[in-house]
Amino acid sequence: MIQAKMAGRGRRRALLGAAMAALLAGAAQAQTLHAVDIPAGPLDAALLALGQQTGEQLFFRRDVVAGRQAPALRGRYTPEAALAQLLGDGELAARRTGPGVLVVQRRGEAPAEPGAEASRPFGHGEGDADALGWDSRSAGMLATAPPAPTAPTTVEELQVTGSHIRGGRSPSPLIVATRADLERTGQTTIAQALRSLPQNFGGGAAEGTALTGADRSGKNGAFSTGINLRGLGSGATLVLVNGRRIAGSGAFGDFADVSSIPTAAVERVEVLLDGASALYGSDAVGGVVNIILRRRFDGGELRLLGGAATRGEPAEGQASIVAGRRWAGGGALFAYELQRRDDLPAADRPFSASADLRRFGGADQRQANSFPGNILRTDPATGITGPGWAIPAGQDGVGLSAADFQAGTANRGEPRQGSDLLPRQTLNAVYLALDQDLGERVGLTADARYSVRRFKTQALPGTASFTVNRNNPYFVSPTGAASHAIGYSFVGDLPNPVISGAVDTLALTGGADVRLPAGWRADLHAAYAQEIDEARTTGIVNSALLSEALGTAADRPQTAFSTARDGFFNPFVGTAGANNPAVLAFVGSGFTTSRSRSAVTSGGLQLDGPLWALPGGPLKVALGAQARRETLERSGHNYANSVAPTPTTPVDVARTVLAGFVEARAPLVGPANRRPGLESLELSGSVRMERYSDVGTTTNPRLGLIWEVLPGLALRATYGRSFRAPALREVRDPISYSPSLLPFGGGRVLSLILNGGNPDLAPETAESWTATLDLAPPSWPVSLHATLFDVRFDDRIERPVQQSFTTALSDPTLAPFVDRIAPGLDEADLARINALINSPLYSSVNGVFPGEQYGAIVDNRYVNTGGLHVRGLDLSANGRFDVGRDTLSLAASGTYMLDHEQQVTPAAPVVEQRGVVGFPVRFRGRATADWTRGDVTVGAALNHVAGYRDGLGARIGDQTTVDLQLRWEPASGVLKDTAASLTVRNLFDADPPFYDNPSGLAYDPANADPVGRYVVLQLSRRW
């Protein structure tokens, strides 16, 4: 039985509880000595260096440190002692405002007002959504950031993700992860690190779900990786890079691919866990992911990484280099990264090697399309098609008679034989960033990013259901009929089809930041982003050529094939290799190609600054206007069901979006008028209007509250409306019809699937609110955060049948989209189905069947369906304890889903889908511990996914895995600025919990990793 190779569920929960409880231990902090090496020079540079070397967050104002010099400092110091040496006995002093947070200011100066200028030692953001991350101390995990401390101020006026106002604070829950945090997760790419977030549901677009059927959308043919916050869909999470939109990915261009971003270029990632369309527009329903790339860097960095699963495949390697140069008022940075990861064959894991899952306690999920094949029969009353007679094995298909067939027998075919679970991927990515000040008031920035990601994988083996008649010299009927339908797999005749291709990504941005009088700033920007996806599938069985080789269709003059010369295809063989190689080469010569180009051109102007004074501080506002142009082009060729390659229906669609927004932040209570129980009180509000050239106008408001009850105790709350505009192809995709065999009643029903867009689609809308409690008293070494969230999603754009093909004919909630027919008994049904299959919109890529064999017509077109209600609780805690000369860092984060209620249509009942396969689980969390002594850090992580159930109610077990990491970073000597780390993910090589997956896998690819124990070694060197 597949199961996690650890103790029972109760013991695992106890471990998690113990990890969380450890964070509540309030030990008095001893002082840790850090290796410090800072050359003499400007004070601001010395403070930034000290923050990097000690892990402390240092905050200071530009005007306070401007023109000041710091002495050289080398040795081992506590952060306070090092600051005392750098600042001397002059007018500057440092004070600690919380664990890991120090503020430098003039002696006797009152705490700086929130929203003044500030700086942090880990870089600063650019763009209209860059953020200041307030908590990057979490060990080996991504931790929810607390609200901004009252005192820190900034050198560069920053925008917190969730606000357009520089220096403002966001009332929304925010996750901040620095580059060091991402590396401590043990994941090797930014895409993997983001998908490991407890708030992310793995069932969206990803390379591991595209090949295994867990991503039911069928849009991710280039094996891209999207983010699916709260399980609302990859298209409902807005992804920004340096605060700018990136081009859409996939066949519909409706989600953002994060796998093309070079990990070495990432400075930090900020994840806003709240609806934010009032700030950023469409798609920001589940939240916003803002990936901030490095900009200010002086020197060089080389990084090498190698990893492999202990069971063999897949292995991977990475190499990257970063070089930067700073000069007076500006600088440049260049980064290059190469990534390569091998494929993972399904045969290499016991839970994917065979679709016969009876050995795990499940069902035999093998199919009737097998080798040898099956003669099929259809029940005219129910439309169920299933095996009637098995073609005998171990014979060459010649001279068979009716006596060789036994009614009621069946062969079973492996649907995934020879295929991969993960594709082979190679990424080459470059990044260039420039910035330059023009005097004291104008700063210019520009950056360019280009990547090429290539992929190759073995697809599922070719299968077909086809008709053979007496024109075929090998034809034999067990009943004396003139023709039969046969379910067949070509695994004994042809190699698996191969999918290969490339994804080219280009992003260009430029901006100007202008300091205006009276504390106002203007930000102008222009951006262009493009993604080109090209894919080719070769080795496909061409149904038109197959019918010719079977003799069902006469020899065609358009082909060079001749049955008289080359022979017939024999579907009655029972031995691999028995068919003529020339016939097989002809039949298996099919292919498809596709090319998609998605592009976004945008520009905007924003103004922000103080308007007038309020008792708690200045009322600040931001207002702006933006415009963008979205385009999507798609073309290709199909040689899977025709005698010559034919162009696919081209797609060339575009829209223009105009937007205006305004935001205000009103601090009602601040340092000047605070009182017991009311340290600070701040209200914020924003509204954004967007006009789409194709789907109309939408207006979305948002309100926020931050109430600091006591120092270190704060409450935050938000309410807002969000929306997602229909993707371009969801509106304008061409209509098509294609056949498919859908499960029903122990067999399969041949169904005609209607696909296509819907020009009458309206935008999806959502209402969301959050309530957050932050507990981080300055005297505590820990901080605790809890967020309750609630999202009501209406008019969702879906293909309801696509999400549940395996139960489409049996699920009563899908009845409005299914029309059962009996053309073998009803002439009207026969006339109707014949009209559809004879239409020019009919696609025979899955075969051609007589009308009498169909049992259903299924509408799979895009519609505004019912709604979705998601409610849950995010919990996180982190702390750092000094134990003598050592440091212990503890952290934990998790999401508990209270409700995931789905209503397929307005008339359908509301169904609770929490903890059901294909939807988010009840709980997902991660707890970590890091112990640092001198140059060495040892870290451990406990990952947990709660058990859930399949569509029939069968339980799928809990998943608990353990990761270990050893890091070495010498602070002195010849190896100073060198670092090495050894990471072991899934230390005990736990298999995924068993799931009786109808696709033939014994695990759930949306919630489990098939790789197993994985060892990664990373070396880096800075200069």
Side-chain angles (χ1 to χ4, degrees):
M1 176 70 69
I2 296 180
Q3 56 186 352
K5 300 171 185 173
M6 299 187 65
R9 187 174 39 166
R11 183 178 177 184
R12 290 190 290 262
R13 289 179 177 170
L15 288 172
L16 280 173
M20 293 288 288
L23 295 170
L24 302 177
Q29 280 188 297
Q31 292 296 303
T32 301
L33 297 177
H34 300 271
V36 176
D37 187 354
I38 300 174
L43 179 57
D44 58 352
L47 294 175
L48 295 175
L50 181 63
Q52 291 175 330
Q53 294 176 21
T54 62
E56 298 280 340
Q57 296 188 64
L58 304 181
F59 297 91
F60 52 90
R61 282 191 358 219
R62 171 183 295 181
D63 61 323
V64 169
V65 301
R68 299 178 186 269
Q69 297 295 306
L73 186 64
R74 292 180 177 83
R76 298 186 70 85
Y77 296 89
T78 66
E80 284 85 351
L83 279 170
Q85 294 291 325
L86 294 175
L87 301 177
D89 297 326
E91 63 174 318
L92 300 186
R95 68 185 184 90
R96 183 174 293 279
T97 64
V101 180
L102 288 161
V103 179
V104 176
Q105 61 189 119
R106 292 187 179 92
R107 295 182 187 274
E109 185 176 42
E113 179 185 332
E117 298 188 341
S119 177
R120 64 172 289 165
F122 303 109
H124 68 278
E126 331 296 329
D128 65 15
D130 280 352
L132 178 61
W134 297 106
D135 191 348
S136 59
R137 306 186 314 279
S138 56
M141 67 176 296
L142 310 180
T144 303
T150 302
T153 55
T154 73
V155 170
E156 299 295 338
E157 291 202 70
L158 302 180
Q159 292 168 314
V160 178
T161 296
S163 176
H164 288 302
I165 297 173
R166 298 173 191 268
R169 297 180 292 173
S170 174
S172 298
L174 182 69
I175 289 175
V176 180
T178 66
R179 213 155 27 91
D181 294 328
L182 296 170
E183 289 183 358
R184 284 196 293 268
T185 65
Q187 305 295 334
T188 57
T189 67
I190 185 67
Q192 292 175 358
L194 287 172
R195 286 185 64 82
S196 69
L197 280 169
Q199 295 81 5
N200 180 77
F201 172 54
E207 58 175 356
T209 59
L211 283 173
T212 56
D215 177 12
R216 300 186 182 100
S217 71
K219 304 174 186 176
N220 191 18
F223 306 107
S224 302
T225 300
I227 305 300
N228 184 2
L229 294 177
R230 308 297 193 204
L232 299 177
S234 299
T237 298
L238 177 62
V239 177
L240 308 172
V241 175
N242 287 340
R244 313 300 182 204
R245 286 179 179 259
I246 62 178
S249 188
F252 280 56
D254 60 348
F255 70 92
D257 177 22
V258 296
S259 66
S260 64
I261 298 173
T263 304
V266 174
E267 179 70 24
R268 67 183 185 273
V269 178
E270 297 155 355
V271 182
L272 186 74
L273 295 167
D274 193 10
S277 289
L279 296 168
Y280 306 119
S282 178
D283 306 337
V285 178
V288 180
V289 176
N290 189 17
I291 301 171
I292 294 119
L293 304 183
R294 302 166 77 173
R295 183 176 297 278
R296 286 164 171 78
F297 182 70
D298 201 351
E301 179 182 272
L302 176 66
R303 185 174 70 107
L304 301 175
L305 179 150
T310 56
R311 303 189 194 187
E313 300 294 345
E316 72 175 313
Q318 292 183 24
S320 64
I321 187 168
V322 180
R325 176 73 175 174
R326 303 302 301 171
W327 55 78
L333 180 143
F334 171 81
Y336 166 76
E337 183 165 290
L338 168 66
Q339 301 176 8
R340 177 178 174 118
R341 207 260 343 270
D342 293 335
D343 57 328
L344 174 59
D348 283 5
R349 296 295 183 267
F351 44 80
S352 56
S354 172
D356 186 354
L357 306 184
R358 290 175 295 181
R359 65 192 187 281
F360 303 118
D364 187 351
Q365 302 288 1
R366 292 177 299 171
Q367 299 179 353
N369 287 348
S370 61
F371 183 87
N374 290 294
I375 297 177
L376 306 177
R377 59 182 174 187
T378 301
D379 186 324
T382 64
I384 295 177
T385 298
W389 301 265
I391 295 175
Q395 46 80 36
D396 61 5
V398 178
L400 291 174
S401 67
D404 294 314
F405 296 88
Q406 183 177 350
T409 58
N411 293 316
R412 295 292 181 181
E414 293 286 355
R416 298 188 172 276
Q417 184 173 334
S419 66
D420 289 332
L421 298 177
L422 296 173
R424 185 176 73 197
Q425 301 232 39
T426 302
L427 174 71
N428 283 274
V430 294
Y431 169 68
L432 176 66
L434 302 167
D435 67 275
Q436 181 64 54
D437 291 339
L438 302 180
E440 292 293 324
R441 291 190 172 274
V442 179
L444 303 179
T445 60
D447 56 73
R449 180 171 53 88
Y450 177 72
S451 67
V452 179
R453 178 172 56 84
R454 302 188 183 280
F455 56 86
K456 186 175 184 180
T457 189
Q458 301 289 325
L460 301 181
T463 60
S465 296
F466 50 79
T467 300
V468 62
N469 57 31
R470 291 173 178 171
N471 292 335
N472 189 295
Y474 308 107
F475 176 78
V476 59
S477 170
T479 63
S483 65
H484 279 295
I486 291 181
Y488 195 83
S489 172
F490 290 86
V491 293
D493 299 314
L494 296 168
N496 285 36
V498 174
I499 305 173
S500 61
V503 178
D504 288 18
T505 303
L506 173 66
L508 305 170
T509 64
D513 182 52
V514 183
R515 293 177 175 85
L516 302 173
W520 280 72
R521 299 276 284 269
D523 175 47
L524 300 91
H525 75 269
Y528 175 78
Q530 172 185 278
E531 178 171 305
I532 298 176
D533 299 355
E534 295 182 332
R536 180 182 181 91
T537 304
T538 57
I540 296 175
V541 174
N542 184 308
S543 60
L545 305 186
L546 176 61
S547 65
E548 185 176 346
L550 285 167
T552 306
D555 286 349
R556 299 181 175 95
Q558 301 96 320
T559 70
F561 183 80
S562 168
T563 53
R565 180 186 67 247
D566 301 311
F568 287 81
F569 178 77
N570 185 352
F572 295 93
V573 298
T575 303
N579 264 301
N580 185 340
V583 176
L584 295 177
F586 175 65
V587 169
S589 62
F591 65 86
T592 62
T593 66
S594 65
R595 183 182 190 274
S596 297
R597 176 183 173 272
S598 172
V600 178
T601 305
S602 62
L605 168 64
Q606 175 183 314
L607 299 171
D608 71 278
L611 200 58
W612 60 71
L614 294 176
L619 171 68
K620 289 191 172 184
V621 299
L623 64 160
Q626 297 173 350
R628 71 177 184 269
R629 177 75 171 172
E630 302 174 353
T631 61
L632 178 65
E633 302 168 3
R634 185 171 175 84
S635 60
H637 284 83
N638 178 11
Y639 188 46
N641 54 3
S642 58
V643 296
T646 58
T648 56
T649 303
V651 174
D652 188 354
V653 292
R655 67 159 59 116
T656 300
V657 184
L658 302 177
F661 63 87
V662 62
E663 180 185 359
R665 181 176 65 86
L668 304 180
V669 178
N673 63 340
R674 64 187 179 184
R675 64 198 66 177
L678 193 59
E679 288 290 315
S680 68
L681 180 65
E682 179 178 299
L683 300 179
S684 61
S686 58
V687 63
R688 182 183 179 104
M689 176 181 289
E690 290 199 339
R691 180 180 180 85
Y692 284 74
S693 60
D694 55 347
V695 294
T697 301
T698 179
T699 302
N700 295 274
R702 182 171 179 265
L703 299 173
L705 167 71
I706 303 177
W707 172 23
E708 189 176 6
V709 182
L710 299 169
L713 173 62
L715 299 173
R716 294 179 286 156
T718 65
Y719 167 81
R721 292 207 303 260
S722 300
F723 78 103
R724 186 186 80 88
L728 288 166
R729 284 192 63 186
E730 289 174 345
V731 177
R732 307 182 191 181
D733 206 37
I735 302 296
S736 66
Y737 313 141
S738 61
S740 180
L741 286 168
L742 301 184
F744 181 75
R748 292 181 179 266
V749 175
L750 182 64
S751 305
L752 189 67
I753 312 298
L754 313 185
N755 296 295
N758 182 352
D760 297 323
L761 287 177
E764 300 174 330
T765 60
E767 287 191 355
S768 61
W769 61 262
T770 66
T772 301
L773 171 66
D774 299 305
L775 183 60
S779 60
W780 285 23
V782 300
S783 59
L784 308 172
H785 315 280
T787 296
L788 187 65
F789 61 89
D790 188 292
V791 182
R792 291 186 179 273
F793 211 169
D794 294 319
D795 294 326
R796 297 199 70 197
I797 298 170
E798 290 280 7
R799 291 184 292 173
V801 172
Q802 185 76 22
Q803 301 303 312
S804 188
F805 257 128
T806 57
T807 60
L809 301 184
S810 56
D811 188 344
T813 63
L814 298 177
F817 306 99
V818 177
D819 189 1
R820 295 301 302 269
I821 59 175
L825 302 175
D826 189 306
E827 292 186 1
D829 283 347
L830 181 60
R832 180 184 175 195
I833 194 69
N834 282 336
L836 292 173
I837 63 179
N838 291 326
S839 164
L841 303 178
Y842 178 82
S843 170
S844 60
V845 66
N846 294 333
V848 178
F849 307 90
E852 291 83 358
Q853 291 188 10
Y854 285 88
I857 299 174
V858 179
D859 192 340
N860 194 39
R861 292 172 291 187
Y862 288 94
V863 292
N864 286 107
T865 63
L868 178 65
H869 179 209
V870 174
R871 189 168 60 96
L873 182 66
D874 291 329
L875 298 169
S876 70
N878 55 75
R880 186 172 62 184
F881 307 87
D882 293 330
V883 184
R885 299 172 64 91
D886 300 342
T887 300
L888 173 64
S889 297
L890 300 176
S893 177
T895 294
Y896 187 85
M897 192 68 67
L898 299 172
D899 290 298
H900 194 98
E901 298 172 335
Q902 186 182 42
Q903 189 178 26
V904 176
T905 68
V910 175
V911 179
E912 177 60 74
Q913 301 285 19
R914 175 195 62 167
V916 177
V917 69
F919 299 91
V921 298
R922 293 170 183 260
F923 177 78
R924 185 178 178 191
R926 177 177 169 90
T928 64
D930 280 51
W931 186 282
T932 301
R933 169 172 290 183
D935 300 335
V936 178
T937 298
V938 178
L942 186 70
N943 311 288
H944 183 75
V945 177
Y948 52 112
R949 64 186 189 277
D950 65 16
L952 299 176
R955 178 174 170 77
I956 302 171
D958 295 4
Q959 304 173 54
T960 302
T961 60
V962 176
D963 305 335
L964 284 182
Q965 188 177 79
L966 175 66
R967 298 189 296 275
W968 177 57
E969 300 179 52
S972 60
V974 295
L975 293 179
K976 180 179 178 294
D977 296 323
T978 300
S981 67
L982 177 66
T983 302
V984 183
R985 296 201 310 261
N986 194 354
L987 177 67
F988 300 110
D989 199 20
D991 281 341
F994 172 66
Y995 163 42
D996 196 1
N997 195 331
S999 68
L1001 300 170
Y1003 76 104
D1004 176 14
N1007 286 301
D1009 182 1
V1011 173
R1013 184 191 296 118
Y1014 200 75
V1015 181
V1016 180
L1017 175 64
Q1018 177 177 293
L1019 303 174
S1020 63
R1021 173 76 177 178
R1022 297 185 66 172
W1023 62 90

